[in-house]
Amino acid sequence: VQLVESGGGLVQTGGSLRLSCSASGITFDGYAICWFRQAPGKEREGVGCISSDGSTFSIDSVKGRFTISSDSAENTVYLQMNSLNPEDTAVYYCALDMEPPNQILFYGLSERAWYVAMDFWGKGTLVTVST
C-alpha cells in the first residue's frame, strides 16, 4: 500500500490549494482516509477524514474553509483548502484507516486514538502560507 500526497506549495494569506492523496495497492472501499498536518515545532494534528460512504469529519478550526472529497474511480482523496492563513502552514499527510469507527465523527474524540488508528501514511506535502 502506498499513499502519495501532492499539491502543496506556497500561497498567500486568503489563497487556496487543493491537496491530493493517491492510493495504490488498495482501494478505499470500507476504509477511511484522513488528513493530518504538522506545523513547525508542533505535534501532528488531525484535520479531517472521509469514509468510503462519503461521510466527512473535520476539526473546528478548518470547518467552512477545508473540504474533503474523494474520487473512487481515481482512488484519490482531496483536501480543498480555502481562506488559508499562516496558521495553516504545515506538512500535510494523508493516512488510511482499515478499521474506521462506526461514525466518522468519533475520530474527534481523542487526538491520540485518531493518530494511532491509522494503518498507512503518506510522506507528506508542504503547505506554506505567507502573510
Side-chain angles (χ1 to χ4, degrees):
V1 175
Q2 187 175 22
L3 302 176
V4 179
E5 303 92 338
S6 62
L10 175 63
V11 64
Q12 290 186 330
T13 294
S16 298
L17 281 175
R18 188 178 78 159
L19 306 184
S20 299
C21 173
S22 297
S24 59
I26 197 167
T27 64
F28 296 151
D29 227 13
Y31 306 143
I33 296 289
C34 297
W35 287 96
F36 292 78
R37 64 185 179 184
Q38 187 163 17
K42 295 187 178 181
E43 294 196 353
R44 195 171 299 189
E45 69 167 347
V47 174
C49 303
I50 186 166
S51 64
S52 59
D53 67 2
S55 301
T56 60
F57 164 77
S58 59
I59 59 175
D60 287 345
S61 62
V62 305
K63 281 180 180 176
R65 300 190 300 124
F66 290 10
T67 302
I68 301 175
S69 62
S70 64
D71 183 336
S72 57
E74 296 293 327
N75 224 29
T76 300
V77 168
Y78 302 99
L79 179 64
Q80 177 67 44
M81 305 186 296
N82 299 328
S83 301
L84 286 162
N85 59 64
E87 289 69 39
D88 297 314
T89 294
V91 177
Y92 283 73
Y93 301 87
C94 65
L96 184 146
D97 182 0
M98 299 183 73
E99 296 185 63
N102 291 332
Q103 294 190 42
I104 198 165
L105 57 84
F106 286 172
Y107 282 123
L109 296 178
S110 167
E111 187 72 36
R112 177 62 180 169
W114 189 0
Y115 177 83
V116 299
M118 300 300 111
D119 297 291
F120 300 98
W121 290 84
K123 294 184 178 182
T125 185
L126 177 62
V127 172
T128 302
V129 185
S130 64
T131 56

